[in-house]
PDB file of all heavy atoms in Angstrom:
ATOM      1  N   TYR A   1      -4.039 -11.051 -21.592  1.00  0.00           N
ATOM      2  CA  TYR A   1      -4.095  -9.522 -21.571  1.00  0.00           C
ATOM      3  C   TYR A   1      -2.893  -8.879 -20.952  1.00  0.00           C
ATOM      4  O   TYR A   1      -3.093  -7.865 -20.274  1.00  0.00           O
ATOM      5  CB  TYR A   1      -5.382  -9.119 -20.761  1.00  0.00           C
ATOM      6  CG  TYR A   1      -6.602  -9.582 -21.534  1.00  0.00           C
ATOM      7  CD1 TYR A   1      -7.487 -10.555 -21.039  1.00  0.00           C
ATOM      8  CD2 TYR A   1      -7.035  -9.072 -22.709  1.00  0.00           C
ATOM      9  CE1 TYR A   1      -8.607 -10.963 -21.553  1.00  0.00           C
ATOM     10  CE2 TYR A   1      -8.204  -9.390 -23.358  1.00  0.00           C
ATOM     11  CZ  TYR A   1      -8.942 -10.382 -22.885  1.00  0.00           C
ATOM     12  OH  TYR A   1     -10.088 -10.822 -23.466  1.00  0.00           O
ATOM     13  N   ARG A   2      -1.821  -9.534 -21.015  1.00  0.00           N
ATOM     14  CA  ARG A   2      -0.587  -9.019 -20.434  1.00  0.00           C
ATOM     15  C   ARG A   2      -0.172  -7.680 -20.791  1.00  0.00           C
ATOM     16  O   ARG A   2       0.308  -6.946 -19.926  1.00  0.00           O
ATOM     17  CB  ARG A   2       0.654  -9.986 -20.550  1.00  0.00           C
ATOM     18  CG  ARG A   2       1.118 -10.188 -21.904  1.00  0.00           C
ATOM     19  CD  ARG A   2       2.217 -11.376 -21.972  1.00  0.00           C
ATOM     20  NE  ARG A   2       2.556 -11.538 -23.244  1.00  0.00           N
ATOM     21  CZ  ARG A   2       1.951 -12.437 -24.080  1.00  0.00           C
ATOM     22  NH1 ARG A   2       0.930 -13.157 -23.744  1.00  0.00           N
ATOM     23  NH2 ARG A   2       2.442 -12.714 -25.334  1.00  0.00           N
ATOM     24  N   VAL A   3      -0.530  -7.297 -22.048  1.00  0.00           N
ATOM     25  CA  VAL A   3      -0.084  -5.898 -22.615  1.00  0.00           C
ATOM     26  C   VAL A   3      -1.005  -4.873 -21.882  1.00  0.00           C
ATOM     27  O   VAL A   3      -0.549  -3.889 -21.445  1.00  0.00           O
ATOM     28  CB  VAL A   3      -0.162  -5.916 -24.165  1.00  0.00           C
ATOM     29  CG1 VAL A   3      -0.083  -4.423 -24.635  1.00  0.00           C
ATOM     30  CG2 VAL A   3       0.816  -6.794 -24.741  1.00  0.00           C
ATOM     31  N   LEU A   4      -2.283  -5.340 -21.712  1.00  0.00           N
ATOM     32  CA  LEU A   4      -3.218  -4.294 -21.065  1.00  0.00           C
ATOM     33  C   LEU A   4      -2.821  -4.131 -19.569  1.00  0.00           C
ATOM     34  O   LEU A   4      -2.932  -3.116 -19.065  1.00  0.00           O
ATOM     35  CB  LEU A   4      -4.656  -4.821 -21.237  1.00  0.00           C
ATOM     36  CG  LEU A   4      -5.295  -4.747 -22.573  1.00  0.00           C
ATOM     37  CD1 LEU A   4      -6.729  -5.267 -22.582  1.00  0.00           C
ATOM     38  CD2 LEU A   4      -5.283  -3.387 -23.105  1.00  0.00           C
ATOM     39  N   TYR A   5      -2.523  -5.341 -18.956  1.00  0.00           N
ATOM     40  CA  TYR A   5      -2.059  -5.171 -17.574  1.00  0.00           C
ATOM     41  C   TYR A   5      -0.947  -4.289 -17.340  1.00  0.00           C
ATOM     42  O   TYR A   5      -0.689  -3.428 -16.498  1.00  0.00           O
ATOM     43  CB  TYR A   5      -1.837  -6.616 -16.954  1.00  0.00           C
ATOM     44  CG  TYR A   5      -3.018  -7.369 -16.466  1.00  0.00           C
ATOM     45  CD1 TYR A   5      -3.651  -8.360 -17.120  1.00  0.00           C
ATOM     46  CD2 TYR A   5      -3.481  -6.858 -15.196  1.00  0.00           C
ATOM     47  CE1 TYR A   5      -4.765  -8.969 -16.627  1.00  0.00           C
ATOM     48  CE2 TYR A   5      -4.681  -7.572 -14.775  1.00  0.00           C
ATOM     49  CZ  TYR A   5      -5.216  -8.549 -15.439  1.00  0.00           C
ATOM     50  OH  TYR A   5      -6.493  -9.228 -15.020  1.00  0.00           O
ATOM     51  N   LEU A   6       0.163  -4.464 -18.250  1.00  0.00           N
ATOM     52  CA  LEU A   6       1.265  -3.692 -18.271  1.00  0.00           C
ATOM     53  C   LEU A   6       1.004  -2.121 -18.496  1.00  0.00           C
ATOM     54  O   LEU A   6       1.453  -1.233 -17.806  1.00  0.00           O
ATOM     55  CB  LEU A   6       2.296  -4.173 -19.374  1.00  0.00           C
ATOM     56  CG  LEU A   6       3.673  -3.542 -19.387  1.00  0.00           C
ATOM     57  CD1 LEU A   6       4.470  -3.798 -18.151  1.00  0.00           C
ATOM     58  CD2 LEU A   6       4.524  -3.974 -20.589  1.00  0.00           C
ATOM     59  N   LEU A   7       0.074  -1.906 -19.380  1.00  0.00           N
ATOM     60  CA  LEU A   7      -0.239  -0.585 -19.670  1.00  0.00           C
ATOM     61  C   LEU A   7      -0.999   0.060 -18.482  1.00  0.00           C
ATOM     62  O   LEU A   7      -0.588   1.275 -18.082  1.00  0.00           O
ATOM     63  CB  LEU A   7      -1.220  -0.566 -20.989  1.00  0.00           C
ATOM     64  CG  LEU A   7      -1.808   0.917 -21.296  1.00  0.00           C
ATOM     65  CD1 LEU A   7      -0.717   1.630 -22.042  1.00  0.00           C
ATOM     66  CD2 LEU A   7      -3.009   0.697 -22.238  1.00  0.00           C
ATOM     67  N   VAL A   8      -1.882  -0.645 -17.939  1.00  0.00           N
ATOM     68  CA  VAL A   8      -2.664  -0.091 -16.783  1.00  0.00           C
ATOM     69  C   VAL A   8      -1.706   0.199 -15.533  1.00  0.00           C
ATOM     70  O   VAL A   8      -1.708   1.201 -14.856  1.00  0.00           O
ATOM     71  CB  VAL A   8      -3.742  -1.055 -16.315  1.00  0.00           C
ATOM     72  CG1 VAL A   8      -4.321  -0.653 -14.984  1.00  0.00           C
ATOM     73  CG2 VAL A   8      -4.865  -1.061 -17.415  1.00  0.00           C
ATOM     74  N   ILE A   9      -0.749  -0.873 -15.352  1.00  0.00           N
ATOM     75  CA  ILE A   9       0.115  -0.773 -14.222  1.00  0.00           C
ATOM     76  C   ILE A   9       1.001   0.426 -14.417  1.00  0.00           C
ATOM     77  O   ILE A   9       1.380   1.160 -13.453  1.00  0.00           O
ATOM     78  CB  ILE A   9       0.879  -2.019 -13.962  1.00  0.00           C
ATOM     79  CG1 ILE A   9      -0.005  -3.114 -13.479  1.00  0.00           C
ATOM     80  CG2 ILE A   9       2.121  -1.863 -13.017  1.00  0.00           C
ATOM     81  CD1 ILE A   9       0.504  -4.475 -13.449  1.00  0.00           C
ATOM     82  N   ILE A  10       1.631   0.665 -15.655  1.00  0.00           N
ATOM     83  CA  ILE A  10       2.396   1.722 -15.894  1.00  0.00           C
ATOM     84  C   ILE A  10       1.722   3.105 -15.700  1.00  0.00           C
ATOM     85  O   ILE A  10       2.354   3.958 -15.047  1.00  0.00           O
ATOM     86  CB  ILE A  10       2.991   1.715 -17.416  1.00  0.00           C
ATOM     87  CG1 ILE A  10       3.981   0.601 -17.567  1.00  0.00           C
ATOM     88  CG2 ILE A  10       3.470   3.039 -17.840  1.00  0.00           C
ATOM     89  CD1 ILE A  10       4.394   0.329 -18.930  1.00  0.00           C
ATOM     90  N   PHE A  11       0.428   3.234 -16.028  1.00  0.00           N
ATOM     91  CA  PHE A  11      -0.220   4.432 -15.830  1.00  0.00           C
ATOM     92  C   PHE A  11      -0.424   4.716 -14.441  1.00  0.00           C
ATOM     93  O   PHE A  11      -0.440   5.868 -13.931  1.00  0.00           O
ATOM     94  CB  PHE A  11      -1.558   4.670 -16.725  1.00  0.00           C
ATOM     95  CG  PHE A  11      -1.273   5.143 -18.100  1.00  0.00           C
ATOM     96  CD1 PHE A  11      -0.989   4.295 -19.245  1.00  0.00           C
ATOM     97  CD2 PHE A  11      -1.267   6.517 -18.373  1.00  0.00           C
ATOM     98  CE1 PHE A  11      -0.639   4.716 -20.329  1.00  0.00           C
ATOM     99  CE2 PHE A  11      -0.975   7.002 -19.571  1.00  0.00           C
ATOM    100  CZ  PHE A  11      -0.795   6.199 -20.565  1.00  0.00           C
ATOM    101  N   PHE A  12      -0.743   3.601 -13.754  1.00  0.00           N
ATOM    102  CA  PHE A  12      -0.998   3.755 -12.320  1.00  0.00           C
ATOM    103  C   PHE A  12       0.250   4.231 -11.521  1.00  0.00           C
ATOM    104  O   PHE A  12       0.192   5.046 -10.725  1.00  0.00           O
ATOM    105  CB  PHE A  12      -1.507   2.379 -11.653  1.00  0.00           C
ATOM    106  CG  PHE A  12      -1.765   2.444 -10.224  1.00  0.00           C
ATOM    107  CD1 PHE A  12      -2.963   3.094  -9.718  1.00  0.00           C
ATOM    108  CD2 PHE A  12      -0.913   2.006  -9.329  1.00  0.00           C
ATOM    109  CE1 PHE A  12      -3.284   3.093  -8.488  1.00  0.00           C
ATOM    110  CE2 PHE A  12      -1.213   2.041  -7.805  1.00  0.00           C
ATOM    111  CZ  PHE A  12      -2.440   2.649  -7.486  1.00  0.00           C
ATOM    112  N   LEU A  13       1.424   3.681 -11.868  1.00  0.00           N
ATOM    113  CA  LEU A  13       2.696   4.035 -11.247  1.00  0.00           C
ATOM    114  C   LEU A  13       3.035   5.450 -11.686  1.00  0.00           C
ATOM    115  O   LEU A  13       3.634   6.111 -10.864  1.00  0.00           O
ATOM    116  CB  LEU A  13       3.775   2.991 -11.677  1.00  0.00           C
ATOM    117  CG  LEU A  13       3.574   1.539 -11.196  1.00  0.00           C
ATOM    118  CD1 LEU A  13       4.753   0.619 -11.694  1.00  0.00           C
ATOM    119  CD2 LEU A  13       3.682   1.570  -9.615  1.00  0.00           C
ATOM    120  N   LEU A  14       2.804   5.837 -12.930  1.00  0.00           N
ATOM    121  CA  LEU A  14       3.015   7.222 -13.385  1.00  0.00           C
ATOM    122  C   LEU A  14       2.201   8.232 -12.501  1.00  0.00           C
ATOM    123  O   LEU A  14       2.553   9.240 -12.186  1.00  0.00           O
ATOM    124  CB  LEU A  14       2.692   7.443 -14.869  1.00  0.00           C
ATOM    125  CG  LEU A  14       3.832   6.751 -15.843  1.00  0.00           C
ATOM    126  CD1 LEU A  14       3.176   6.924 -17.294  1.00  0.00           C
ATOM    127  CD2 LEU A  14       5.113   7.380 -15.659  1.00  0.00           C
ATOM    128  N   GLY A  15       0.937   7.850 -12.238  1.00  0.00           N
ATOM    129  CA  GLY A  15       0.067   8.599 -11.383  1.00  0.00           C
ATOM    130  C   GLY A  15       0.616   8.710  -9.916  1.00  0.00           C
ATOM    131  O   GLY A  15       0.678   9.883  -9.452  1.00  0.00           O
ATOM    132  N   ILE A  16       1.139   7.636  -9.435  1.00  0.00           N
ATOM    133  CA  ILE A  16       1.775   7.754  -8.119  1.00  0.00           C
ATOM    134  C   ILE A  16       2.903   8.565  -8.099  1.00  0.00           C
ATOM    135  O   ILE A  16       3.118   9.428  -7.229  1.00  0.00           O
ATOM    136  CB  ILE A  16       2.172   6.393  -7.617  1.00  0.00           C
ATOM    137  CG1 ILE A  16       0.904   5.434  -7.315  1.00  0.00           C
ATOM    138  CG2 ILE A  16       2.984   6.396  -6.311  1.00  0.00           C
ATOM    139  CD1 ILE A  16       1.116   4.001  -6.851  1.00  0.00           C
ATOM    140  N   ILE A  17       3.786   8.553  -9.063  1.00  0.00           N
ATOM    141  CA  ILE A  17       5.004   9.431  -9.160  1.00  0.00           C
ATOM    142  C   ILE A  17       4.623  10.734  -9.287  1.00  0.00           C
ATOM    143  O   ILE A  17       5.086  11.730  -8.579  1.00  0.00           O
ATOM    144  CB  ILE A  17       5.870   8.906 -10.300  1.00  0.00           C
ATOM    145  CG1 ILE A  17       6.482   7.528 -10.078  1.00  0.00           C
ATOM    146  CG2 ILE A  17       7.057   9.948 -10.617  1.00  0.00           C
ATOM    147  CD1 ILE A  17       7.078   6.775 -11.270  1.00  0.00           C
ATOM    148  N   ALA A  18       3.637  11.159 -10.209  1.00  0.00           N
ATOM    149  CA  ALA A  18       3.168  12.508 -10.491  1.00  0.00           C
ATOM    150  C   ALA A  18       2.572  13.090  -9.136  1.00  0.00           C
ATOM    151  O   ALA A  18       2.883  14.217  -8.812  1.00  0.00           O
ATOM    152  CB  ALA A  18       2.098  12.512 -11.519  1.00  0.00           C
ATOM    153  N   GLY A  19       1.817  12.302  -8.461  1.00  0.00           N
ATOM    154  CA  GLY A  19       1.179  12.714  -7.286  1.00  0.00           C
ATOM    155  C   GLY A  19       2.151  13.083  -6.022  1.00  0.00           C
ATOM    156  O   GLY A  19       2.087  13.968  -5.429  1.00  0.00           O
ATOM    157  N   THR A  20       3.131  12.092  -5.950  1.00  0.00           N
ATOM    158  CA  THR A  20       4.318  12.293  -5.029  1.00  0.00           C
ATOM    159  C   THR A  20       5.123  13.578  -5.285  1.00  0.00           C
ATOM    160  O   THR A  20       5.399  14.353  -4.449  1.00  0.00           O
ATOM    161  CB  THR A  20       5.134  11.035  -4.938  1.00  0.00           C
ATOM    162  OG1 THR A  20       4.366   9.838  -4.743  1.00  0.00           O
ATOM    163  CG2 THR A  20       6.125  11.111  -3.823  1.00  0.00           C
ATOM    164  N   VAL A  21       5.448  13.729  -6.541  1.00  0.00           N
ATOM    165  CA  VAL A  21       6.208  14.906  -6.897  1.00  0.00           C
ATOM    166  C   VAL A  21       5.548  16.140  -6.807  1.00  0.00           C
ATOM    167  O   VAL A  21       6.206  17.177  -6.399  1.00  0.00           O
ATOM    168  CB  VAL A  21       6.801  14.568  -8.418  1.00  0.00           C
ATOM    169  CG1 VAL A  21       7.463  15.785  -9.022  1.00  0.00           C
ATOM    170  CG2 VAL A  21       7.758  13.501  -8.484  1.00  0.00           C
ATOM    171  N   SER A  22       4.197  16.118  -7.116  1.00  0.00           N
ATOM    172  CA  SER A  22       3.450  17.436  -7.095  1.00  0.00           C
ATOM    173  C   SER A  22       3.370  17.934  -5.628  1.00  0.00           C
ATOM    174  O   SER A  22       3.129  19.240  -5.532  1.00  0.00           O
ATOM    175  CB  SER A  22       2.071  17.166  -7.748  1.00  0.00           C
ATOM    176  OG  SER A  22       1.279  16.353  -6.756  1.00  0.00           O
ATOM    177  N   VAL A  23       3.421  17.205  -4.633  1.00  0.00           N
ATOM    178  CA  VAL A  23       3.501  17.677  -3.241  1.00  0.00           C
ATOM    179  C   VAL A  23       4.569  18.726  -3.044  1.00  0.00           C
ATOM    180  O   VAL A  23       4.371  19.750  -2.328  1.00  0.00           O
ATOM    181  CB  VAL A  23       3.600  16.466  -2.246  1.00  0.00           C
ATOM    182  CG1 VAL A  23       3.744  17.109  -0.820  1.00  0.00           C
ATOM    183  CG2 VAL A  23       2.409  15.607  -2.409  1.00  0.00           C
ATOM    184  N   HIS A  24       5.770  18.480  -3.811  1.00  0.00           N
ATOM    185  CA  HIS A  24       6.902  19.399  -3.524  1.00  0.00           C
ATOM    186  C   HIS A  24       6.756  20.667  -4.250  1.00  0.00           C
ATOM    187  O   HIS A  24       7.520  21.525  -4.157  1.00  0.00           O
ATOM    188  CB  HIS A  24       8.027  18.633  -3.900  1.00  0.00           C
ATOM    189  CG  HIS A  24       8.403  17.408  -3.165  1.00  0.00           C
ATOM    190  ND1 HIS A  24       8.767  17.523  -1.796  1.00  0.00           N
ATOM    191  CD2 HIS A  24       8.262  16.065  -3.314  1.00  0.00           C
ATOM    192  CE1 HIS A  24       8.881  16.316  -1.381  1.00  0.00           C
ATOM    193  NE2 HIS A  24       8.726  15.410  -2.231  1.00  0.00           N
ATOM    194  N   PHE A  25       5.759  20.849  -5.165  1.00  0.00           N
ATOM    195  CA  PHE A  25       5.585  22.088  -5.994  1.00  0.00           C
ATOM    196  C   PHE A  25       4.349  22.862  -5.444  1.00  0.00           C
ATOM    197  O   PHE A  25       4.018  23.784  -6.076  1.00  0.00           O
ATOM    198  CB  PHE A  25       5.372  21.654  -7.449  1.00  0.00           C
ATOM    199  CG  PHE A  25       6.587  21.138  -8.130  1.00  0.00           C
ATOM    200  CD1 PHE A  25       6.720  19.775  -8.223  1.00  0.00           C
ATOM    201  CD2 PHE A  25       7.538  21.902  -8.503  1.00  0.00           C
ATOM    202  CE1 PHE A  25       7.862  19.157  -8.840  1.00  0.00           C
ATOM    203  CE2 PHE A  25       8.766  21.425  -9.092  1.00  0.00           C
ATOM    204  CZ  PHE A  25       8.851  20.031  -9.270  1.00  0.00           C
ATOM    205  N   LEU A  26       3.899  22.600  -4.352  1.00  0.00           N
ATOM    206  CA  LEU A  26       2.719  23.304  -3.752  1.00  0.00           C
ATOM    207  C   LEU A  26       3.333  24.793  -3.223  1.00  0.00           C
ATOM    208  O   LEU A  26       4.447  24.777  -2.815  1.00  0.00           O
ATOM    209  CB  LEU A  26       2.098  22.601  -2.581  1.00  0.00           C
ATOM    210  CG  LEU A  26       1.303  21.286  -2.887  1.00  0.00           C
ATOM    211  CD1 LEU A  26       0.904  20.628  -1.574  1.00  0.00           C
ATOM    212  CD2 LEU A  26       0.163  21.598  -3.723  1.00  0.00           C
ATOM    213  N   GLU A  27       2.471  25.728  -3.387  1.00  0.00           N
ATOM    214  CA  GLU A  27       2.788  27.059  -2.810  1.00  0.00           C
ATOM    215  C   GLU A  27       2.642  26.910  -1.353  1.00  0.00           C
ATOM    216  O   GLU A  27       1.855  26.060  -0.798  1.00  0.00           O
ATOM    217  CB  GLU A  27       1.731  27.990  -3.351  1.00  0.00           C
ATOM    218  CG  GLU A  27       1.811  28.268  -4.899  1.00  0.00           C
ATOM    219  CD  GLU A  27       3.035  28.922  -5.285  1.00  0.00           C
ATOM    220  OE1 GLU A  27       3.548  29.892  -4.597  1.00  0.00           O
ATOM    221  OE2 GLU A  27       3.467  28.565  -6.370  1.00  0.00           O
ATOM    222  N   PRO A  28       3.362  27.827  -0.670  1.00  0.00           N
ATOM    223  CA  PRO A  28       3.306  27.808   0.878  1.00  0.00           C
ATOM    224  C   PRO A  28       1.925  27.836   1.403  1.00  0.00           C
ATOM    225  O   PRO A  28       1.552  27.167   2.430  1.00  0.00           O
ATOM    226  CB  PRO A  28       4.229  28.888   1.254  1.00  0.00           C
ATOM    227  CG  PRO A  28       5.067  29.044   0.100  1.00  0.00           C
ATOM    228  CD  PRO A  28       4.326  28.726  -1.094  1.00  0.00           C
ATOM    229  N   GLU A  29       1.035  28.790   0.832  1.00  0.00           N
ATOM    230  CA  GLU A  29      -0.341  28.798   1.291  1.00  0.00           C
ATOM    231  C   GLU A  29      -1.126  27.556   1.137  1.00  0.00           C
ATOM    232  O   GLU A  29      -1.998  27.174   1.894  1.00  0.00           O
ATOM    233  CB  GLU A  29      -1.030  29.940   0.516  1.00  0.00           C
ATOM    234  CG  GLU A  29      -0.469  31.350   0.803  1.00  0.00           C
ATOM    235  CD  GLU A  29      -1.143  32.420   0.055  1.00  0.00           C
ATOM    236  OE1 GLU A  29      -2.135  32.125  -0.681  1.00  0.00           O
ATOM    237  OE2 GLU A  29      -0.790  33.644   0.121  1.00  0.00           O
ATOM    238  N   GLN A  30      -0.978  26.950  -0.061  1.00  0.00           N
ATOM    239  CA  GLN A  30      -1.616  25.646  -0.347  1.00  0.00           C
ATOM    240  C   GLN A  30      -1.215  24.602   0.587  1.00  0.00           C
ATOM    241  O   GLN A  30      -2.061  23.830   1.086  1.00  0.00           O
ATOM    242  CB  GLN A  30      -1.400  25.160  -1.888  1.00  0.00           C
ATOM    243  CG  GLN A  30      -1.995  26.066  -2.853  1.00  0.00           C
ATOM    244  CD  GLN A  30      -1.457  25.674  -4.305  1.00  0.00           C
ATOM    245  OE1 GLN A  30      -0.348  25.390  -4.406  1.00  0.00           O
ATOM    246  NE2 GLN A  30      -2.377  25.743  -5.271  1.00  0.00           N
ATOM    247  N   ASN A  31       0.194  24.559   0.766  1.00  0.00           N
ATOM    248  CA  ASN A  31       0.674  23.579   1.682  1.00  0.00           C
ATOM    249  C   ASN A  31       0.143  23.792   3.194  1.00  0.00           C
ATOM    250  O   ASN A  31      -0.231  22.762   3.863  1.00  0.00           O
ATOM    251  CB  ASN A  31       2.325  23.769   1.845  1.00  0.00           C
ATOM    252  CG  ASN A  31       2.892  22.415   2.175  1.00  0.00           C
ATOM    253  OD1 ASN A  31       2.235  21.492   2.563  1.00  0.00           O
ATOM    254  ND2 ASN A  31       4.175  22.559   2.218  1.00  0.00           N
ATOM    255  N   ALA A  32       0.030  25.039   3.649  1.00  0.00           N
ATOM    256  CA  ALA A  32      -0.541  25.222   4.916  1.00  0.00           C
ATOM    257  C   ALA A  32      -1.978  24.798   5.110  1.00  0.00           C
ATOM    258  O   ALA A  32      -2.493  24.225   5.995  1.00  0.00           O
ATOM    259  CB  ALA A  32      -0.344  26.753   5.281  1.00  0.00           C
ATOM    260  N   ARG A  33      -2.814  25.095   3.962  1.00  0.00           N
ATOM    261  CA  ARG A  33      -4.308  24.817   3.947  1.00  0.00           C
ATOM    262  C   ARG A  33      -4.339  23.216   3.938  1.00  0.00           C
ATOM    263  O   ARG A  33      -5.160  22.629   4.686  1.00  0.00           O
ATOM    264  CB  ARG A  33      -5.000  25.354   2.734  1.00  0.00           C
ATOM    265  CG  ARG A  33      -5.312  26.777   2.883  1.00  0.00           C
ATOM    266  CD  ARG A  33      -6.478  27.177   1.968  1.00  0.00           C
ATOM    267  NE  ARG A  33      -6.000  26.951   0.556  1.00  0.00           N
ATOM    268  CZ  ARG A  33      -5.373  27.820  -0.168  1.00  0.00           C
ATOM    269  NH1 ARG A  33      -5.065  28.959   0.243  1.00  0.00           N
ATOM    270  NH2 ARG A  33      -5.084  27.520  -1.519  1.00  0.00           N
ATOM    271  N   LEU A  34      -3.602  22.482   3.211  1.00  0.00           N
ATOM    272  CA  LEU A  34      -3.607  21.111   3.171  1.00  0.00           C
ATOM    273  C   LEU A  34      -3.226  20.503   4.452  1.00  0.00           C
ATOM    274  O   LEU A  34      -3.716  19.452   4.847  1.00  0.00           O
ATOM    275  CB  LEU A  34      -2.836  20.587   1.862  1.00  0.00           C
ATOM    276  CG  LEU A  34      -3.379  20.664   0.633  1.00  0.00           C
ATOM    277  CD1 LEU A  34      -2.355  20.333  -0.434  1.00  0.00           C
ATOM    278  CD2 LEU A  34      -4.731  19.793   0.475  1.00  0.00           C
ATOM    279  N   ALA A  35      -2.158  21.058   4.996  1.00  0.00           N
ATOM    280  CA  ALA A  35      -1.623  20.579   6.341  1.00  0.00           C
ATOM    281  C   ALA A  35      -2.804  20.692   7.438  1.00  0.00           C
ATOM    282  O   ALA A  35      -3.003  19.750   8.302  1.00  0.00           O
ATOM    283  CB  ALA A  35      -0.417  21.229   6.780  1.00  0.00           C
TER     284      ALA A  35
END
């Protein structure tokens, strides 16, 4: 199942990247509430 493992790992890593990048696009009010 190496193809499935590769697919799952790629989507997991894409999720990590998207989550990390999205922090920088928060509005100041959202950032203050989350902080």
Side-chain angles (χ1 to χ4, degrees):
Y1 297 111
R2 62 185 178 275
V3 174
L4 290 180
Y5 274 106
L6 185 62
L7 179 72
V8 169
I9 290 168
I10 286 171
F11 273 92
F12 182 75
L13 292 176
L14 286 174
I16 289 176
I17 293 166
T20 305
V21 169
S22 68
V23 172
H24 298 287
F25 291 99
L26 291 173
E27 296 293 325
E29 291 177 7
Q30 294 172 319
N31 204 359
R33 280 199 304 270
L34 282 170

